[in-house]
Amino acid sequence: MTIQTLRPRSSLVVAGGAAALLALSACGSSDGGDSLLLRGVDVDPAADSSPNDGVRLVNAGDTADRITLPIPFEEGQSASTETVMELDMTVHGRSAGGFVDMVMTQRVTEELAGGAEIETIFQHIEGAAVGDDLEFDDVVGVPFVSEVDAAGFPTGDLRRADGGPMPAALAEQLAQGNVEIDFPTEPVGAGAAWTSVAVFDSMGAQLEIETLFELVEVDAVEYRVEITQNAPIDVTVDGVDITGSIEATGTMVINRDNPLDVDTEYLQTSSASFDGIDLDLTIEVTTESTSLD
């Protein structure tokens, strides 16, 4: 499942290098796909007896009903999803914001090794970035296709099924972010917890963000994962000291028979101070999905 975010436009004047670092910290990772929930790598693989699957399993949870996650894709699975993302930024008392609101249907058209091919059709899409309307009318009703890995993370670009050009405004928004879960390879039950850590470079500085995932509920229909992020910011970019923090919480409820059917609530707040400038950024994402026959 892909969640689009809006990048703050240049009309909001901030110190370039420092703002770029915070924007990447809040909305991106360095492994090829900008992400709200960052793709992880093991910090100390020797501390975890599991294969190096990108996560550290803290607790495998209840032994009564353990399941292997993620639920696999199967050809014909489909869902209708509405996604709303809102962004608010304040710099020294000046505020700016943006949003994306889209309704789409998605269908698994082909099972692939380690993932699937997904067809996406936008039924409705609108947005604005710092007060500028974003026009997407020319893509409504047009089939798009993409490949995703087992967890639903895109492994390639979204492209028009008819081979036509991708509108620049839509491509820009789709490139910005994804909400994603890193899963352990072992079967887990209710109460399971695992972590992933991303370390990436931006503007010559490194930032590390750890994400905690908790499988809080499993039943015959769905499972619920709670997400927590907390990372201090204390870096120097081009001689400018940047301090602050990134905090986020979220919940994803995923259908056990259909990984396209996902409800999400995610709230991330970031703050930073640099060169006499105070910056605050809030990102809120919600999705509501319904399986289709």
Side-chain angles (χ1 to χ4, degrees), residues 2 31 35 44 57 91 94 97 110 124 127 133 147 179 190 198 200 203 228 254 258 260 268 270:
T2 301
D31 62 348
S35 177
D44 182 9
L57 185 63
V91 181
R94 295 179 56 196
E110 184 179 355
H124 167 81
D133 290 338
E147 287 77 42
V179 172
F200 56 91
M203 305 295 293
T228 305
I254 304 174
N258 184 359
L260 295 176
Q268 182 187 83
S270 306

Side-chain angles (χ1 to χ4, degrees), residues 53 141 219 260-261 275:
D53 53 9
D219 61 30
L260 295 176
D261 184 352
D275 202 21

Side-chain angles (χ1 to χ4, degrees), residues 199-233:
V199 180
F200 56 91
D201 295 307
S202 176
M203 305 295 293
Q206 281 195 338
L207 190 67
E208 178 178 294
I209 295 183
E210 181 177 47
T211 303
L212 170 67
F213 303 96
E214 298 175 273
L215 182 63
V216 296
E217 185 179 355
V218 179
D219 61 30
V221 177
E222 61 193 19
Y223 62 95
R224 179 186 301 267
V225 178
E226 293 187 353
I227 302 155
T228 305
Q229 285 181 300
N230 192 317
I233 302 173

Side-chain angles (χ1 to χ4, degrees), residues 72-79 105-112 115-120 146 148 257-260:
F73 289 103
E74 296 180 5
E75 187 172 335
Q77 290 169 333
S78 60
T105 57
Q106 292 185 297
R107 181 171 62 92
V108 178
T109 55
E110 184 179 355
E111 298 173 38
L112 304 175
E117 180 182 83
I118 307 294
E119 176 189 75
T120 298
S146 61
V148 300
D257 294 324
N258 184 359
L260 295 176

